[in-house]
Amino acid sequence: MKSIIRILIGVLYLAVGIASAALAGAAASNQMRSFWRLSAFVISAVVFTAHIAYEHFRLRNTARPTAWHASVAVALGAFALALAANIHDLGQPRVIRPRMLIALVAWPLLTAVPAFIVARVVAAILGAKRLGG
């Protein structure tokens, strides 16, 4: 059940990324394009924060499992976005570029590592507050 939550959150990150990219692509101005891109970051940050809160308060996990679970969900979302980008790239009238294949590994790593660090720090602070007061 817990792994299903991580998968669903990863799918949510994918949905946010695809929806904001579509909205940014259809934007009439650079200002609106920037707005939709920024909104993806804000929504993703809210999802990330909610996931940390769920792991910490609802599941009563300590800092390490909370950080691990949150970063796995982020990595799944990043992998799904990289896969979607690769599929989208197949429709382009050129050969497959190696950097698109590298994205399948790079995007999850480039997002999961910072997510783990941030979630670990936040969960440790929340855990210290729970123990101390």
Side-chain angles (χ1 to χ4, degrees):
M1 178 64 180
K2 293 177 189 176
S3 59
I4 291 174
I5 297 295
R6 288 187 288 277
I7 292 169
L8 290 175
I9 293 171
V11 170
L12 185 56
Y13 286 128
L14 171 66
V16 167
I18 289 175
S20 65
L23 291 167
S29 68
N30 285 335
Q31 195 172 24
M32 282 307 295
R33 191 172 1 274
S34 295
F35 170 79
W36 289 118
R37 289 178 179 161
L38 179 62
S39 71
F41 287 110
V42 171
I43 294 168
S44 294
V46 169
V47 171
F48 183 66
T49 303
H51 190 189
I52 292 170
Y54 173 79
E55 291 281 339
H56 180 77
F57 295 112
R58 175 81 174 178
L59 299 181
R60 316 268 307 150
N61 283 333
T62 59
R64 183 175 289 156
T66 295
W68 174 251
H69 297 159
S71 65
V72 166
V74 167
L76 287 172
F79 177 78
L81 279 170
L83 185 61
N86 272 275
I87 292 169
H88 176 75
D89 197 52
L90 290 174
Q92 304 304 317
R94 53 187 131 80
V95 296
I96 296 176
R97 298 176 301 198
R99 68 181 173 161
M100 290 303 294
L101 296 175
I102 292 169
L104 293 170
V105 174
W107 290 6
L109 285 175
L110 290 171
T111 57
V113 172
F116 181 85
I117 294 167
V118 169
R120 179 85 190 255
V121 169
V122 169
I125 291 169
L126 290 173
K129 287 187 177 192
R130 180 175 14 177
L131 292 175

